[in-house]
Amino acid sequence: MFNKYSRFIRAVSLNIWGKAGVILTSSSFLCFLFFEFFRMTGILTNAYIGLITYLVFPFLFILGLLFIPLGWKIYKRSKNKSTVELLSDTFEDRDIEGKFIGSTVFNTITALTLVNVLFLVFLSTRMLGFMDSSVFCGTACHTVMNPEWTVYQVSPHARVACVDCHVGEGVDALVNAKLNGVRQIFLASFNAHNRPIPTPVHQLRPARETCEKCHWPDKFYGSKIVNITRYMKDRESTPRHTTLSLKIDSGKGSGIHWHISKENEVRYKTLDDKREKIISVEVKQPNGSFKKFLNRSYSGLFDEKDHQEVRTLDCVDCHNRATHIYKTPERVVDELIDAGKIDRSLPYIKRESLKAISIFQSEEAAMRGIENHLRRFYSDNHQEVYPGGIRKIREAAEALKGEYRINIHYDMNVRWNTYKSFLGHDNGSGCFRCHNQNFKDNKGNSISSDCTLCHSILSYDEQVPFKYFQKVEESERNSEIHRYLREEFFEYIKK
């Protein structure tokens, strides 16, 4: 049998095209099997090795298959003979004796074709699986996607595959994603991509196809207690506590998720693709009509006829950074202090930590300078922290450098606050895009900006946490007392 296939290979390697086809096909096939074995065993995991395995080798394999018939056609033309005459000259009589169908040559071609088809099917399946992996999405175009890949790995959705949100279901979604991927490869190859890359708001799948696969709006009800701790810039980095009862209802009345309940529909238009400057809002009424609110602050700055796209509000309009979460400097330092990674016993540590992560213009300078800044400040102004405070300073510096590497990416022009979060209302963004007095209907009524629509403020900027949390902490091991305190707490809310 081996002789039969070797005779066939020699017969189709009649010229340089045929030889090139045989070499490319066989070598790429063997190389694929070699690399695939090490990838399946977990020895090779690098995305670039995956690109070679699932893109380069398949391309060479198919190119080799095309070269073989091309070489045969060129050879046939050069000899000016018929196919039957050429077969008789090329193959031995025993290989083509009798009818062509059923001959050794025909059976060999059929067997090799079947092997090639099965191999290409297996290869295509593996290639699609690899290209749908989060590692491929995040590391194949390292410089371009590194910021998003870095923050994704420490996000609440780090175990959700990129394609679950960015591709969606169905053949159309798959084809569109792959075509868009080809465009992105072209831009990355010719260094023609934006820096920073814009948030792909127009390419995100609808929330009903992504978020709502896990987060079911009909089951959003009740309240969620959130305690927010901020630290002052004074000597003691004094903590201030705000406790909110978030109304996460999606019913007919009020609540954060009122906007996406089945009974309600909110539509809006924006000035730009960032969906931050909203020019009009339409709210569905019980009779099916829509009440329209126009943003009077933009009066005369635009012609509404130029902004025809109307978007129905869904999850990502507020949770726009649900996965790729970039933090503000204040939030970074507050969270590190709250987690105990920065020791608050160091004088002015909140203030100096903010300075340390805000004054550098390159990652190299920041990695050297953050600890140097803290050491210099304490050596010049607070010698009392030495020598025992050296370890605390070093630990604070390492924690700050870790967050700096996550949030700052100079290659892609990603700095603090490059990507805003619309969750909340910091800096007049988020909720206040719509909930402000500038939006008026035709009767002069404005969209409500009452805080209690979405949350009850149980305590604000207090020196000690809300008493409910203190009581629960003291009695967390006693379920009976814990239940009693919960009942007491909700009675407090009702009042």
Side-chain angles (χ1 to χ4, degrees), residues 3-14 68 72 75 83-97 100 103-109 112:
N3 291 333
K4 177 177 65 174
Y5 289 111
S6 64
R7 289 197 307 271
F8 178 83
I9 291 173
R10 286 196 302 270
V12 297
S13 304
L14 298 172
I68 292 174
W72 180 266
Y75 182 76
T83 301
V84 174
E85 292 174 327
L86 204 57
L87 286 172
S88 298
D89 294 343
T90 306
F91 293 95
E92 298 180 9
D93 292 338
R94 56 179 173 172
D95 292 332
I96 58 174
E97 59 185 358
F100 178 69
S103 66
T104 302
V105 173
F106 177 83
N107 292 337
T108 302
I109 294 174
L112 290 176

Side-chain angles (χ1 to χ4, degrees), residues 61-79:
F61 181 82
I62 295 173
L63 187 64
L65 290 179
L66 295 176
F67 277 179
I68 292 174
L70 177 63
W72 180 266
K73 185 175 182 178
I74 293 173
Y75 182 76
K76 177 182 175 182
R77 183 178 297 176
S78 66
K79 295 297 182 180

Side-chain angles (χ1 to χ4, degrees), residues 173-185:
L174 178 64
V175 172
N176 289 334
K178 299 312 175 189
L179 291 176
N180 185 53
V182 172
R183 181 184 67 85
Q184 292 173 348
I185 290 175

Side-chain angles (χ1 to χ4, degrees), residues 222-225 243-247 455-458 466 468 486-495:
S223 298
K224 178 182 179 181
I225 309 304
T243 303
L244 304 175
S245 173
L246 299 181
K247 302 174 183 178
H455 52 65
S456 298
I457 303 175
L458 304 181
F466 185 63
Y468 171 74
R486 284 180 57 84
E487 294 172 356
E488 181 190 62
F489 172 68
F490 285 114
E491 286 296 323
Y492 174 85
I493 292 178
K494 292 177 182 178
K495 295 178 183 180

Side-chain angles (χ1 to χ4, degrees), residues 254-473:
S254 61
I256 296 172
H257 295 105
W258 172 89
H259 309 76
I260 59 170
S261 66
K262 292 180 179 179
E263 294 82 6
N264 306 307
E265 183 179 344
V266 179
R267 307 187 305 203
Y268 68 92
K269 293 182 180 180
T270 63
L271 274 179
D272 53 25
D273 291 340
K274 294 182 178 180
R275 298 177 181 170
E276 185 172 5
K277 298 178 180 179
I278 297 179
I279 57 179
S280 67
V281 174
E282 295 177 321
V283 183
K284 190 174 184 178
Q285 303 301 297
N287 62 5
S289 64
F290 282 85
K291 179 186 288 189
K292 189 171 186 178
F293 296 83
L294 284 175
N295 191 339
R296 304 299 173 87
S297 62
Y298 293 143
S299 297
L301 299 179
F302 70 94
D303 185 349
E304 191 174 1
K305 296 179 181 179
D306 296 333
H307 301 273
Q308 296 297 324
E309 182 182 358
V310 179
R311 173 173 170 78
T312 300
L313 187 145
D314 68 11
C315 305
V316 297
D317 289 293
C318 296
H319 297 270
N320 65 315
R321 310 304 304 183
T323 296
H324 304 284
I325 304 170
Y326 295 88
K327 302 174 183 178
T328 63
E330 285 269 358
R331 180 178 171 185
V332 163
V333 178
D334 285 339
E335 288 184 357
L336 290 177
I337 295 176
D338 210 38
K341 296 181 179 180
I342 294 180
D343 195 321
R344 197 163 59 86
S345 65
L346 292 170
Y348 295 102
I349 188 61
K350 166 68 181 288
R351 185 188 71 185
E352 296 306 314
S353 294
L354 280 175
K355 289 182 180 179
I357 59 176
S358 303
I359 60 178
F360 301 107
Q361 300 302 314
S362 71
E363 183 174 341
E364 294 77 11
M367 294 303 102
R368 294 192 306 268
I370 289 176
E371 184 170 348
N372 290 339
H373 172 84
L374 295 179
R375 283 178 176 269
R376 190 180 306 114
F377 171 77
Y378 288 109
S379 63
D380 293 346
N381 302 282
H382 295 278
Q383 281 289 333
E384 72 273 11
V385 304
Y386 287 95
I390 293 295
R391 180 181 58 82
K392 296 178 182 179
I393 294 171
R394 186 180 300 113
E395 289 175 352
E398 289 302 316
L400 291 169
K401 287 191 285 187
E403 289 294 328
Y404 196 94
R405 283 189 290 264
I406 291 173
N407 290 277
I408 306 297
H409 303 270
Y410 289 95
D411 290 341
M412 291 300 295
N413 289 333
V414 177
R415 307 289 194 273
W416 299 114
N417 300 319
T418 295
Y419 295 110
K420 288 185 177 180
S421 171
F422 295 154
L423 193 62
H425 38 66
D426 290 339
N427 303 316
S429 188
C431 307
F432 289 156
R433 290 174 296 162
C434 300
H435 290 273
N436 65 71
Q437 297 300 310
N438 292 319
F439 280 91
K440 302 286 186 180
D441 64 9
N442 55 6
K443 296 182 180 180
N445 300 315
S446 61
I447 297 178
S448 176
S449 56
D450 186 353
C451 299
T452 60
L453 285 174
C454 296
H455 52 65
S456 298
I457 303 175
L458 304 181
S459 66
Y460 180 75
D461 207 26
E462 301 291 341
Q463 293 185 2
V464 295
F466 185 63
K467 64 177 182 178
Y468 171 74
F469 290 94
Q470 287 180 313
K471 288 184 179 180
V472 169
E473 184 175 352

Side-chain angles (χ1 to χ4, degrees), residues 23-77:
I23 293 172
L24 282 175
T25 302
S26 56
S27 61
S28 58
F29 177 78
L30 294 174
C31 287
F32 174 84
L33 293 180
F34 176 80
F35 279 88
E36 178 67 359
F37 171 78
F38 285 107
R39 285 189 60 80
M40 293 181 71
T41 55
I43 297 175
L44 295 176
T45 57
N46 186 279
Y48 294 103
I49 298 296
L51 283 174
I52 295 173
T53 305
Y54 300 116
L55 294 180
V56 176
F57 291 149
F59 172 77
L60 295 177
F61 181 82
I62 295 173
L63 187 64
L65 290 179
L66 295 176
F67 277 179
I68 292 174
L70 177 63
W72 180 266
K73 185 175 182 178
I74 293 173
Y75 182 76
K76 177 182 175 182
R77 183 178 297 176

